[in-house]
Amino acid sequence: MELLSPAGNVEKLSYAYAYGADAAYIGLKKFSLRVKADNFYEDEYKKVIELKNKYPEKRLHCALNISFHDEEIDSLKNNLDYFKQYPIDAFIVQDIGIVPLLQKEFPNAELHLSTQASCVNSEAVKMYQKLGFKRIVLGREISLNQIRRIKDAVPDMELEAFVHGAMCIAYAGRCLMSAYLTGRSAQSGFCSHTCRWNFNLYDTNLNQTAQGDSHIITPEQAKLIAQSGNLLLEEEQRKGEYFPVYEGDDFTAILSSKDLKMIDHLADFKNAGIDSLKIEGRMKSVYYVAMVTRAYRKALDALEGKITTQEAAPFIAELENVSHRASTTGFYFNKAEADKTTTGASDSKYELAAEIGAEISGTDFEAIYQLGQKNYKDFTDKLEAMHPSAKAARLKDLEIHTDRQIVPFEKHEGWNMYEITALNMIKSTNEIEFVSPDFVSLTASSTDYYLINPETGTKMNWVCDGHPCVIYTKYKLSSAALIRTLDPNYVEGKIRDTGR
């Protein structure tokens, strides 16, 4: 089975490939349902071509999955020459109106039907096959038994299914709540995730339904109230704006769904005839893309006998260290499982601190080392030349402002130097963790690494986003490695308000 990972920008695309994805899916600006993802534009096709050359066996899928209005089709036509510069292997579409255009202009690219089309039966699959589709991304409302039936009926059609990530409470994500509350249409790519917000529940007389023990009701009474049509929701930041909520026999209209997590059931997908396993998350972080892709890669490798289940287990366990909500198996085994809901934002005890770049060795390493030695000598020479009272004042100032000290680094046998791109603050006293495609994690204490300014060759007490820095450490790392640190604001079991 193919492992298909999300890529909201070029950087995430590189990590998806490096951490084990067989294919990745991207969006092109204005034509994807994740408009708030960075998406791809201008000359980024050059970087994508470089990645495809680096990973020639990897595939690239492009989501053109919005519902197109005529003016958007006009825009698509006007941008065809630009799109043709991308090495796209397949287009993911829901609007069949653009199918003839894609078939004409991109004859070598496959057509994949988006999950937004809610294809969940074999007769529909047969119809799409006649239209020229190579793969169906099945609607999320389908069970594994139904997938097996479709595969048996149309064995030469590729089937793709979501296995991990956020689930929309609305039918296949065709949600109107976002447009209703914020004017941002989910169908046009501007989903504001309103189903994740906090709401107060009232009856039609604007009485809050639960205000202490005196208002406790039985489950039978609750069901009658839920099905009465007399309930109203008020989003807590939009006082005085109410809209109705109704619960039927097999659905709840407005609730926040759990995240999908199917890593323990990959054999079931294989037995059902699934060809591609899809991870949700083009708006998620580099850390999310890397860690989730890696976990599913190892799980698939174990399923295929490339590694043992024991070898895969610690990588799979790392899913708990990635931002997530409570998990569910969705509709795959039982519809009732999809009805289970949760509250709060995704959360993780780790934050991504930095990305590891190229190794610095040989003459480049020596140049940084010698630069540090020179700057330290210049500093000490100036200090020694000072009047004793001025020198004492200067030394006192350096005790208070340690960032002003000039400290060269020492060479260590077996240590390695790497470029890093800092994303959050790292203090030189911090314990940090390295993660990579090859190992689960390596913990480095403050004595196991130095932060060094490559422009001065001297040690840094801290680094954050925008500061040039290299790391000198006893560990051997790959260029796709990451540095993570514990989030000091994380509290186990407490849901944090991360904003919207």
Side-chain angles (χ1 to χ4, degrees), residues 402-417:
T402 57
D403 285 349
R404 298 174 184 174
Q405 295 178 0
I406 304 297
V407 182
F409 69 94
E410 309 86 29
K411 291 181 180 180
H412 291 287
E413 185 68 28
W415 281 39
N416 308 280
M417 181 178 284

Side-chain angles (χ1 to χ4, degrees), residues 396-469:
K396 184 65 175 178
D397 178 71
L398 291 172
E399 286 181 16
I400 298 171
H401 302 99
T402 57
D403 285 349
R404 298 174 184 174
Q405 295 178 0
I406 304 297
V407 182
F409 69 94
E410 309 86 29
K411 291 181 180 180
H412 291 287
E413 185 68 28
W415 281 39
N416 308 280
M417 181 178 284
Y418 302 94
E419 297 174 352
I420 68 168
T421 302
L423 303 171
N424 285 296
M425 178 173 283
I426 307 174
K427 296 180 180 179
S428 61
T429 55
N430 284 157
E431 181 178 89
I432 63 176
E433 289 187 34
F434 299 110
V435 295
S436 88
D438 309 310
F439 56 79
V440 178
S441 67
L442 295 172
T443 300
S445 69
S446 59
T447 58
D448 295 332
Y449 70 94
Y450 301 143
L451 299 174
I452 299 167
N453 186 336
E455 296 177 352
T456 64
T458 56
K459 291 182 181 179
M460 304 170 71
N461 290 333
W462 57 272
V463 65
C464 64
D465 184 20
H467 291 241
C469 185

Side-chain angles (χ1 to χ4, degrees), residues 40-151:
F40 291 72
Y41 54 93
E42 296 178 354
D43 64 348
E44 289 188 329
Y45 65 88
K46 297 177 182 177
K47 298 177 182 176
V48 176
I49 291 172
E50 288 179 11
L51 281 173
K52 286 277 282 181
N53 290 336
K54 182 179 179 180
Y55 300 100
E57 75 283 5
K58 309 281 188 180
R59 288 169 51 83
L60 182 68
H61 302 177
C62 177
L64 294 178
N65 55 350
I66 66 169
S67 296
F68 282 80
H69 295 277
D70 280 329
E71 55 269 25
E72 288 162 334
I73 292 180
D74 292 339
S75 180
L76 177 62
K77 291 177 180 177
N78 291 335
N79 284 279
L80 285 174
D81 288 341
Y82 169 69
F83 292 162
K84 288 179 180 179
Q85 297 177 102
Y86 282 86
I88 295 169
D89 296 298
F91 287 102
I92 307 167
V93 301
Q94 67 154 317
D95 193 329
I96 61 173
I98 66 170
V99 168
L101 178 65
L102 295 177
Q103 289 173 324
K104 176 184 176 182
E105 301 293 340
F106 302 89
N108 296 320
E110 297 175 1
L111 287 177
H112 294 180
L113 184 72
S114 170
T115 190
Q116 295 298 120
S118 301
C119 185
V120 292
N121 67 76
S122 56
E123 295 305 317
V125 171
K126 292 174 185 177
M127 183 199 74
Y128 285 114
Q129 187 178 48
K130 291 177 182 177
L131 290 175
F133 282 85
K134 178 73 178 297
R135 177 182 296 184
I136 303 295
V137 187
L138 295 161
R140 302 198 195 195
E141 304 75 34
I142 199 168
S143 71
L144 286 169
N145 288 336
Q146 291 167 332
I147 293 173
R148 178 72 263 175
R149 179 172 176 177
I150 290 174
K151 193 65 175 182

